[in-house]
Amino acid sequence: MLRQDHYKTSVYKTPFHERTSELNILNEWTRWKDYTVSTSYFRTDLEYFAVRNTTGVIDYTPMVKQKITGPDAAEFVNRFFTRDMNKIAVGRVGYVVWCDEAGQVLDDGTVFHVRENEYWLLCVERQLDNLGNSAVGFDVKIEEITDEVACLGVQGPTSCSILKAIGFDAIEHLKPFDIKHYDFQGQEVMVSRTGFSGDLGYEVCMPNDVALNLWDELFDKGEIYGIKPFGLDALDLVRIEAGLLVPGQDFMVAEEAIRPGSTRSPFELGLSWLVDLSKPVFNGREALLEEKKRGSRYTFVKLNINGNKPAEGAYLYNQSGKKIGNVTSAMFSPSAKANIAFATLHDPWKKGKDKIIAEIYYQKDLEWNKVMEEATIVTKPFFDPDRKRTTPAELY
Amino acid sequence: MEKYDAIVIGAGHNGLTNAAYLAKSGLKVLVLEKNDYIGGAAVSRELHDGWTYSNCSYVCSLLRPEIYRDLNLQKHGLQVIAYGGSVTFMEDGNIFGGYSDHDVQRREIGRFSKKDADAYVRFGRDVSKQCRFIKPLLLRTPPDPTSFRPKDLDELLYLFKRLYGLGEQTIYETIRFYTMSAAEYLAEYFESDIVKAAMSGSGIIGTALGPYSPGTAYVLLHHYMGEVDGSIGSWGFARGGMGSVSKALAGALQEYDGKIITDAEVTQIQVKNGKTTGVVLANGDEYHAKNVVSNLDARRTYQDLFDPQDLSEKLLKQVDNFKFNGSSGKLNIALDGLPEFPAMGKDNPLIYADMHFIDSLERIERAYDDWKNGRWSQDPYVDMLIPTMTDPTMAPPGKHYMSVFVQYAPPKLATGEWTDKDREGFGKTVIDQIGEYSPNFKDLIVHAEIRTPQDIENEVGLTEGNIFQGELTMDQMFFNRPFPGYAQFRGPVKGFYMCGSSTHPGGGVMAAPGANAAREILYDLKRKNIVPEAENDD
């Protein structure tokens, strides 16, 4: 149990804070759950380009981590998540969503099949309540390990070379979504070829007490490979280019939604590939079957918008001036030199027939202007280099 | 013999851009390149095992984002990555840094003059005003001010509207701006010599003028355009070297079924009854097309490829008068490790920046005097970068590639043509200058390519080695580029066009001339325009 005076430390420092605070010359921080993390270290654009060109390192320790163990672990996760979890073999990672009974998405995350009868769920929102409610009758143990495990995202084209240089042998042979355990100074660290950048990259989970040493090793060996820290601002740029959603930004998490209609089903987020309706039981199955029959209310799309004014928060209209949706995330992509966005569309939008026109407000010399720009739907990520998939991974 | 709708002579980045748009419009297009590699001066070459050089153009700040997006150059492998800042090393052991963070920059200027530090805001505003005026013009065709055709009148009207949109005071300023020297212009803002010297550099790069020569204020702006708009990634390196730009453009061209033949030097443009009919190669091969587009500079195009009998006396004279005045050379150096610059201190991020070793306007002007006297500058102005600090693909990890642009070097020396000994001497001058600020630099050199203006001319085909395909002075700009009457990308014979940097808006890896020429060709062929307009900054 926490000490009675825990309120005196309202915000925690991550195990990397000693280093990240030294490197954060802009002194820009934000709160992420219990912790404070850097939004930007030295220049957001150069941090962004480190991820796209060399290697960026992000401290994502505050990511909520839950460990599920026990003889029924495999059956339990299959019951909890919407996709067929049997396909995620030991040593593999899978992207997942899970729903409430109404088929509305509670959160998204990644499940690590760490070893036989052991799964880790990394996600945005805390799930002990939801996981616990579903665990009735399963022989599993569910615990939160957020504070015990330090995590780094090591993302970018030279990331494999750097991890190899710190002694992670044969790491180049990891396929996307593979997990491998390494010994680092006598402790076990878990490396996976995963991340939030849409590029070649890895995530490293480690016990807190080797965190600083591993950081130092990375930055020492990584110097000649152009290693740089990056903050949440740069992360937001790469994840939009990569086509990755953020709960709480691109959709409302069902657990916190007050107003009817404000939540989304997996189908409405373009995630039908994560739903396996042939499974006999999982949370939200009945509702999703029903939705399949009567149709969805919303359609999630990636947009390429004319012009160069980012469409943050824009309303979307069809050619007759009827509102058909709104933008949830937007930016001008430095890599595609394109004006890109995620959006959610609704009635009376007609797929293939209606135009999508964004109403964009922007400021120049304090004056507000408005443009109406046509947008086209894009199906692939805005940035999608081959090196993201190539195995063995690129070495420098 | 296969027939094409259009033949583009020269696979420089503008030739490829032009061809890509013609092909995208549905035309059958052929690009002919004399070298066995494409790219012209936007090229990456491995001249020393393991090292890739951007051996001519070296930074990618001006490439039009509209074209990048429209031709989907990202998909064809182009990644432009930002680099940071600039630094000038001073004789007294101090340095003057250029930082992108506004407050850091203000404090840095303030180390030399507190007043200048505050004037930096006004300077930034005024340069931005000029950029705002010019940027949209980059992807437009200059109007002919003597013509009464509706198209020209419309364009003139547009121009006047924009000019008047600047506001009264700025109209006066704009006209002054175009005729001033960089030194005069900077003196209206700054008092510190180091501040002025550092900022004047971009006013002379590529130009045979000194900071006190009228017209250099515009050149300064021409180089600023990539930098001041503030949108991220607007200036930087092409990942993998400048050849990546050409490779991506070629990828776009091939996607639209355009064809490129290398090792195919065009020696003659065929003209029959005042119309082009095709081209003849050095090996005698002929290719036929009703439209022939030259990516070569104005002099090479008209003097080397046309039969003078097909051209008017007036035009031949204009070609003669077109100024090149090659003024720059280049060193590409492979380094065994990272050179130290003690003046900068350890871990200074300016190691990523462009570096210079001249700290006063006076010294730059003296460097220019050498050019006038027919010798390379004994105390040169260099624009030096270590691209491998940013780009991991150009040298093995821990090793480095250094790109050194050198000003001034005349196309011909007072003693005659450049000899091997001269080239060596030129290289030594530059290496010695860098060595003065970096004690371990010389020991790290494993290979160096030294390029005089003459080498650049011989290899790339840029007359006198002028990087802009002709000086960027007011007499050769806008509706006078390359010369009056021919500023709309058309030539004196039907079906013939120009698309290189000799045309509007001039040099730099912008891809704008190539795209502009394509728009005019499509207009003549009565096809729908598919070339994007410049994005509005307002």
Side-chain angles (χ1 to χ4, degrees):
Chain A
M1 191 190 288
L2 275 181
R3 286 162 54 110
Q4 188 267 338
D5 64 350
H6 65 86
Y7 63 89
K8 287 182 176 166
T9 317
S10 315
V11 188
Y12 300 175
K13 292 171 176 168
T14 78
F16 303 106
H17 192 83
E18 229 180 294
R19 298 291 179 272
T20 54
S21 54
E22 217 170 88
L23 291 165
N24 189 337
I25 60 172
L26 298 174
N27 201 21
E28 287 185 4
W29 301 87
T30 193
R31 200 159 158 171
W32 177 3
K33 293 291 177 219
D34 285 333
Y35 294 89
T36 185
V37 288
S38 301
T39 46
S40 185
Y41 283 89
F42 55 102
R43 234 179 90 177
T44 299
D45 63 339
L46 293 184
E47 292 167 36
Y48 160 88
F49 280 112
V51 179
R52 287 280 174 256
N53 170 48
T54 51
T55 288
V57 176
I58 188 163
D59 174 5
Y60 76 103
T61 303
M63 176 75 77
V64 174
K65 298 165 228 106
Q66 286 109 166
K67 184 156 116 180
I68 300 153
T69 46
D72 291 344
E75 269 174 82
F76 169 69
V77 295
N78 210 32
R79 186 225 178 287
F80 189 75
F81 299 108
T82 55
R83 69 184 284 187
D84 180 3
M85 298 300 287
N86 295 319
K87 287 191 180 145
I88 300 169
V90 174
R92 295 282 295 165
V93 183
Y95 177 51
V96 291
V97 288
W98 53 103
C99 296
D100 61 12
E101 281 309 316
Q104 301 301 292
V105 176
L106 283 164
D107 199 354
D108 75 348
T110 40
V111 166
F112 292 65
H113 197 166
V114 178
R115 43 180 77 88
E116 200 67 47
N117 296 329
E118 180 177 339
Y119 291 86
W120 287 17
L121 168 62
L122 272 61
C123 57
V124 176
E125 301 300 335
R126 297 206 158 76
Q127 301 298 332
L128 288 183
D129 181 38
N130 291 321
L131 289 166
N133 290 343
S134 294
V136 178
F138 289 94
D139 186 2
V140 288
K141 184 176 161 202
I142 302 165
E143 53 197 317
E144 191 187 333
I145 52 169
T146 307
D147 298 339
E148 284 89 67
V149 178
C151 292
L152 290 178
V154 184
Q155 301 285 311
T158 62
S159 55
C160 184
S161 300
I162 296 173
L163 293 171
K164 201 174 164 69
I166 71 168
F168 294 170
D169 292 332
I171 186 153
E172 68 272 24
H173 297 296
L174 247 63
K175 292 194 281 293
F177 297 102
D178 270 357
I179 298 172
K180 198 169 169 158
H181 288 90
Y182 288 96
D183 174 87
F184 182 79
Q185 299 181 348
Q187 300 264 24
E188 186 185 75
V189 301
M190 179 173 80
V191 183
S192 57
R193 185 167 166 188
T194 49
F196 217 48
S197 68
D199 209 315
L200 173 63
Y202 300 84
E203 292 176 310
V204 187
C205 293
M206 68 208 85
N208 288 341
D209 49 357
V210 294
L212 281 183
N213 285 350
L214 197 133
W215 177 284
D216 290 343
E217 225 5 53
L218 272 181
F219 277 77
D220 179 44
K221 297 289 191 306
E223 194 186 349
I224 58 168
Y225 298 100
I227 199 167
K228 296 276 177 284
F230 74 105
L232 291 182
D233 288 351
L235 179 71
D236 202 45
L237 301 178
V238 293
R239 71 98 190 167
I240 297 174
E241 285 186 336
L244 301 168
L245 304 174
V246 169
Q249 157 118 27
D250 296 302
F251 64 93
M252 191 71 204
V253 298
E255 207 162 33
E256 294 172 14
I258 312 282
R259 289 159 189 81
S262 60
T263 57
R264 298 289 182 270
S265 77
F267 301 141
E268 294 169 338
L269 293 173
L271 301 174
S272 47
W273 63 280
L274 289 180
V275 181
D276 182 3
L277 290 168
S278 69
K279 290 201 300 182
V281 186
F282 64 86
N283 292 349
R285 181 172 179 272
E286 303 311 315
L288 291 173
L289 272 171
E290 182 62 25
E291 182 182 335
K292 200 94 197 158
K293 254 189 267 167
R294 70 175 151 75
S296 302
R297 303 157 300 169
Y298 301 101
T299 307
F300 171 85
V301 288
K302 292 190 277 289
L303 294 178
N304 188 345
I305 304 172
N306 289 348
N308 59 0
K309 314 289 186 296
E312 273 149 23
Y315 270 25
L316 302 171
Y317 299 91
N318 66 7
Q319 62 282 4
S320 0
K322 293 264 175 6
K323 190 191 168 228
I324 53 165
N326 54 278
V327 164
T328 58
S329 290
M331 69 182 284
F332 191 84
S333 157
S335 289
K337 297 276 183 277
N339 195 14
I340 63 176
F342 298 162
T344 183
L345 299 176
H346 53 66
D347 269 350
W349 176 69
K350 294 271 171 302
K351 190 181 179 182
K353 285 191 182 148
D354 274 13
K355 282 188 175 169
I356 302 169
I357 300 157
E359 179 182 38
I360 303 167
Y361 289 84
Y362 64 96
Q363 230 179 359
K364 292 276 168 170
D365 287 354
L366 281 186
E367 205 165 304
W368 282 99
N369 302 298
K370 181 182 95 168
V371 282
M372 304 293 285
E373 296 282 13
E374 212 177 311
T376 46
I377 294 174
V378 177
T379 49
K380 286 208 170 132
F382 301 105
F383 182 76
D384 194 26
D386 288 338
R387 62 179 179 244
K388 175 170 108 181
R389 292 169 284 270
T390 311
T391 309
E394 252 180 34
L395 285 172
Y396 286 78
Chain B
M1 183 95 292
E2 256 189 298
K3 276 196 83 154
Y4 292 87
D5 294 318
I7 291 170
V8 178
I9 307 168
H13 86 281
N14 276 311
L16 293 168
T17 304
N18 184 267
Y21 274 110
L22 298 182
K24 190 181 179 188
S25 163
L27 297 174
K28 196 174 168 197
V29 183
L30 172 68
V31 179
L32 297 168
E33 167 57 46
K34 80 170 168 104
N35 285 325
D36 59 4
Y37 54 88
I38 62 159
V43 69
S44 307
R45 302 193 66 197
E46 189 173 334
L47 298 180
H48 183 71
D49 206 21
W51 270 261
T52 304
Y53 295 161
S54 278
N55 70 336
C56 294
S57 63
Y58 52 100
V59 285
C60 191
S61 62
L62 298 165
L63 184 65
R64 297 293 89 209
E66 298 86 354
I67 293 167
Y68 194 128
R69 178 183 191 178
D70 193 56
L71 293 178
N72 211 344
L73 299 185
Q74 178 219 181
K75 190 183 96 185
H76 297 291
L78 180 60
Q79 247 191 293
V80 177
I81 47 189
Y83 73 87
S86 86
V87 57
T88 303
F89 291 85
M90 299 168 69
E91 268 182 325
D92 65 3
N94 205 341
I95 60 162
F96 175 67
Y99 300 90
S100 70
D101 184 293
H102 182 84
D103 291 312
V104 174
Q105 180 68 79
R106 186 178 49 76
R107 291 191 292 261
E108 177 74 2
I109 298 173
R111 296 203 300 128
F112 301 92
S113 160
K114 293 250 192 261
K115 186 177 170 298
D116 286 2
D118 292 359
Y120 184 59
V121 176
R122 188 164 54 91
F123 176 74
R125 177 200 64 192
D126 289 351
V127 172
S128 297
K129 277 186 186 179
Q130 295 301 332
C131 288
R132 174 176 168 264
F133 175 62
I134 294 197
K135 262 190 171 177
L137 306 182
L138 297 177
L139 283 176
R140 300 180 78 95
T141 299
D144 181 344
T146 65
S147 149
F148 289 100
R149 287 190 312 155
K151 194 166 175 262
D152 288 307
L153 290 175
D154 278 356
E155 193 60 29
L156 273 171
L157 191 68
Y158 168 86
L159 205 61
F160 280 117
K161 268 193 196 151
R162 277 210 72 80
L163 191 63
Y164 282 91
L166 285 172
E168 214 169 289
Q169 197 51 44
T170 313
I171 298 174
Y172 297 124
E173 292 302 323
T174 303
I175 289 159
R176 291 179 69 235
F177 186 83
Y178 281 86
T179 49
M180 282 171 103
S181 71
E184 286 164 338
Y185 186 70
L186 291 165
E188 298 194 352
Y189 301 89
F190 305 114
E191 57 185 17
S192 156
D193 208 35
I194 176 63
V195 174
K196 286 189 277 188
M199 298 209 184
S200 70
S202 50
I204 55 154
I205 285 181
T207 302
L209 295 171
Y212 290 99
S213 312
T216 45
Y218 173 76
V219 183
L220 185 141
L221 177 73
H222 194 85
H223 283 115
Y224 258 84
M225 262 179 302
E227 301 182 30
V228 269
D229 86 351
S231 78
I232 80 174
S234 59
W235 51 294
F237 297 113
R239 193 171 198 262
M242 290 302 284
S244 304
V245 176
S246 307
K247 226 169 109 185
L249 285 165
L253 169 65
Q254 281 150 356
E255 186 187 338
Y256 302 122
D257 299 325
K259 195 173 158 186
I260 303 170
I261 304 178
T262 52
D263 270 323
E265 183 178 5
V266 173
T267 50
Q268 172 89 49
I269 294 172
Q270 295 172 313
V271 178
K272 215 177 254 170
N273 304 324
K275 291 178 188 168
T276 50
T277 54
V279 299
V280 186
L281 301 193
N283 66 8
D285 284 358
E286 287 186 21
Y287 290 95
H288 297 291
K290 279 188 179 161
N291 300 286
V292 174
V293 191
S294 173
N295 183 192
L296 278 46
D297 69 46
R299 181 147 328 148
R300 279 191 112 73
T301 299
Y302 287 112
Q303 286 188 350
D304 297 356
L305 301 186
F306 273 99
D307 183 341
Q309 292 182 5
D310 290 327
L311 303 173
S312 72
E313 186 190 323
K314 183 182 167 213
L315 178 65
L316 288 168
K317 195 76 205 153
Q318 284 177 315
V319 172
D320 255 349
N321 291 342
F322 191 63
K323 274 185 306 192
F324 286 90
N325 296 345
S327 60
S328 39
K330 177 102 195 276
L331 268 67
N332 294 298
I333 303 171
L335 297 169
D336 203 31
L338 185 62
E340 287 160 18
F341 294 90
M344 238 166 27
K346 225 183 125 35
D347 295 329
N348 191 320
L350 293 173
I351 191 79
Y352 293 84
D354 47 74
M355 305 183 199
H356 318 271
F357 304 101
I358 274 202
D359 60 0
S360 73
L361 290 171
E362 173 71 21
R363 278 175 70 195
I364 305 179
E365 191 68 20
R366 292 290 85 83
Y368 175 45
D369 289 342
D370 285 331
W371 181 87
K372 285 182 266 182
N373 294 326
R375 54 182 200 160
W376 64 85
S377 302
Q378 301 307 298
D379 178 24
Y381 173 84
V382 305
D383 187 30
M384 183 180 101
L385 286 143
I386 308 173
T388 40
M389 281 307 296
T390 304
D391 185 343
T393 69
M394 299 183 81
K399 315 285 182 191
H400 288 281
Y401 155 54
M402 181 186 266
S403 160
V404 195
F405 173 88
V406 191
Q407 190 108 354
Y408 300 79
K412 210 179 205 181
L413 299 170
T415 51
E417 301 285 332
W418 284 83
T419 63
D420 288 347
K421 209 170 145 235
D422 293 328
R423 186 188 299 106
E424 236 167 77
F426 170 64
K428 186 176 178 300
T429 304
V430 177
I431 288 169
D432 283 348
Q433 190 193 49
I434 301 167
E436 269 178 50
Y437 297 87
S438 174
N440 68 339
F441 167 67
K442 287 185 189 175
D443 296 334
L444 293 173
I445 299 175
V446 291
H447 176 262
E449 181 200 20
I450 301 163
R451 318 189 75 199
T452 67
Q454 202 168 291
D455 297 327
I456 295 172
E457 164 152 9
N458 290 342
E459 192 183 305
V460 188
L462 292 167
T463 298
E464 296 186 19
N466 182 299
I467 64 169
F468 297 137
Q469 279 202 349
E471 286 277 66
L472 275 181
T473 47
M474 264 330 269
D475 56 317
Q476 307 195 140
M477 295 276 304
F478 206 50
F479 46 64
N480 287 334
R481 191 169 186 88
F483 5 88
Y486 296 103
Q488 297 182 337
F489 310 94
R490 294 172 184 82
V493 292
K494 198 169 173 335
F496 174 73
Y497 301 87
M498 301 256 297
C499 75
S501 296
S502 277
T503 59
H504 174 75
V509 182
M510 278 203 259
N516 286 336
R519 187 181 51 245
E520 293 302 317
I521 296 166
L522 295 177
Y523 177 86
D524 287 354
L525 298 178
K526 301 192 167 51
R527 298 176 81 89
K528 192 175 158 249
N529 178 38
I530 51 162
V531 178
E533 267 191 33
E535 291 293 356
N536 194 343
D537 255 1
D538 289 330

